[in-house]
Amino acid sequence: MAYENIIVETKGHVGLITLNRPKALNALSQALIAELGKALDGFEADDDIGAIVLTGSEKAFAAGADIKEMASKTFTQCYLEDFITKGWEAVSKVRKPVIAAVAGYALGGGCEVAMMCDFILAADTAKFGQPEITLGVIPGAGGTQRLTRLVGKSKAMEMILTGRMMDAQEAERSGLVSRIVPAGELLEEALKVAERIASMGRPSVLAAKEAVERAYESTLAEGVRFERRLFHALFSTDDQKEGMAAFAEKRQPNFKNR
Ligand code: HXC
């Protein structure tokens, strides 16, 4: 399909999605979100793709939901269309790993979409914030929950109550992002990391993602039990035999995703 608000490309075994509404700092309009959902579905269904990178521009990953589009919404409209569950949560439902490569602003819904990804690689120019309070609302796409789990109550509360932004250094210090890279190298590094993930056996990649996610949804005992069952199950895969044989034979594994 033809996309108007995003650019969708394949780089080796990586699906690359670039948010592309430069005039609005990649504000997440309904049309953009619908396209994002379609692109993610496409990569999810494509056997050649093992990981996905989601990025924006040098100036903005995304400056939030489209304020101009939502300004006149009524409660009834929001409620009936269940604003924002449709489309937005596609990012958190993808089973293949999704890396957010963030340069510039990741604000409001932009920060929330980045946090729905499996991890965030930040350029040294990245700025994160939940400024919804300054618009008379609160985060609506998981910000109060995910930011709190990622950086802890005190910092999340301060950011959400004041709208203060965090720079890349503070974001790394507080665990919001996995690493900071120089802005000029962000995309190259994100694609390299994604290609490495795509080169692993897919059953173990999906299982690893599912197991880490379970840490957020369960008690420690249940999570550890879930992990162990998946760990056992992976011994039924050809990739486990190949991975361990390759180690013994001192060669690189050749995973077949089965
Ligand atoms: C619509 C936006 C936008 C947004 C920027 N623009 N952010 N349009 N929605 N979220 C538009 C501006 O109106 C402007 O268009 C153009 O992009 C460039 O932005 P400027 O403000 O001129 O740029 P700058 O001075 O560099 O300031 C950058 C900025 C500022 C600090 C990021 O744009 C800003 O504060 N944006 C809003 C951030 C925000 O409040 N996000 C939360 C949204 S609520 P024109 O046509 O004037 O040139 C949200 C709720 C999510 O996300 C809940 C789930 C749905």
Side-chain angles (χ1 to χ4, degrees):
M1 88 167 249
Y3 295 102
E4 288 176 8
N5 300 285
I6 60 176
I7 299 167
V8 180
E9 299 164 272
T10 296
K11 303 273 183 192
H13 296 96
V14 177
L16 171 63
I17 302 175
T18 307
L19 304 176
N20 188 35
R21 287 188 73 205
K23 288 186 185 142
L25 300 184
N26 293 333
L28 303 164
S29 61
Q30 311 246 48
L32 183 153
I33 289 293
E35 290 183 5
L36 179 59
K38 286 220 170 64
L40 289 169
D41 285 350
F43 285 141
E44 187 84 317
D46 185 342
D47 276 348
D48 287 339
I49 295 296
I52 298 162
V53 171
L54 179 59
T55 195
S57 69
E58 264 175 39
K59 180 148 192 219
F61 176 75
D66 192 314
I67 300 170
K68 294 164 193 169
E69 194 177 73
M70 75 185 150
S72 63
K73 275 186 190 294
T74 64
F75 164 75
T76 314
Q77 272 174 323
C78 290
Y79 185 64
L80 292 185
E81 68 192 44
D82 206 8
F83 183 54
I84 56 82
T85 57
K86 277 192 208 128
W88 284 79
E89 286 175 352
V91 187
S92 61
K93 295 268 162 29
V94 182
R95 297 183 70 213
K96 292 174 182 171
V98 186
I99 302 171
V102 174
Y105 297 111
L107 301 178
C111 187
E112 291 172 305
V113 166
M115 290 191 293
M116 287 176 196
C117 296
D118 297 305
F119 59 93
I120 302 174
L121 273 185
D124 46 13
T125 58
K127 290 187 193 65
F128 299 88
Q130 297 289 163
E132 288 89 342
I133 198 88
T134 68
L135 301 168
V137 290
I138 66 170
T144 61
Q145 306 303 300
R146 290 197 176 90
L147 188 65
T148 307
R149 281 166 163 81
L150 285 164
V151 308
K153 179 184 166 191
S154 198
K155 205 175 269 291
M157 195 65 102
E158 187 209 338
M159 288 179 67
I160 289 167
L161 288 177
T162 65
R164 178 176 80 77
M165 291 185 215
M166 266 192 204
D167 64 15
Q169 281 69 29
E170 186 179 1
E172 186 187 36
R173 246 189 351 260
S174 51
L176 179 58
V177 309
S178 68
R179 269 186 302 131
I180 303 176
V181 295
E185 294 164 25
L186 176 68
L187 186 59
E188 187 190 334
E189 184 63 19
L191 289 172
K192 201 165 100 192
V193 174
E195 192 61 57
R196 179 168 169 81
I197 294 170
S199 76
M200 306 294 173
R202 190 146 323 140
S204 53
V205 167
L206 296 195
K209 172 167 170 168
E210 235 189 305
V212 173
E213 281 179 339
R214 190 55 77 98
Y216 280 101
E217 307 285 353
S218 65
T219 62
L220 180 63
E222 281 166 15
V224 168
R225 190 176 160 82
F226 181 76
E227 176 196 82
R228 191 161 309 155
R229 293 291 171 253
L230 286 180
F231 175 71
H232 293 162
L234 289 167
F235 282 78
S236 68
T237 64
D238 291 349
D239 284 348
Q240 174 267 328
K241 298 291 174 284
E242 167 62 11
M244 295 192 183
F247 177 80
E249 293 160 18
K250 300 188 189 300
R251 60 174 173 82
Q252 288 299 311
N254 179 15
F255 293 122
K256 296 283 192 329
N257 297 338
R258 57 181 191 235

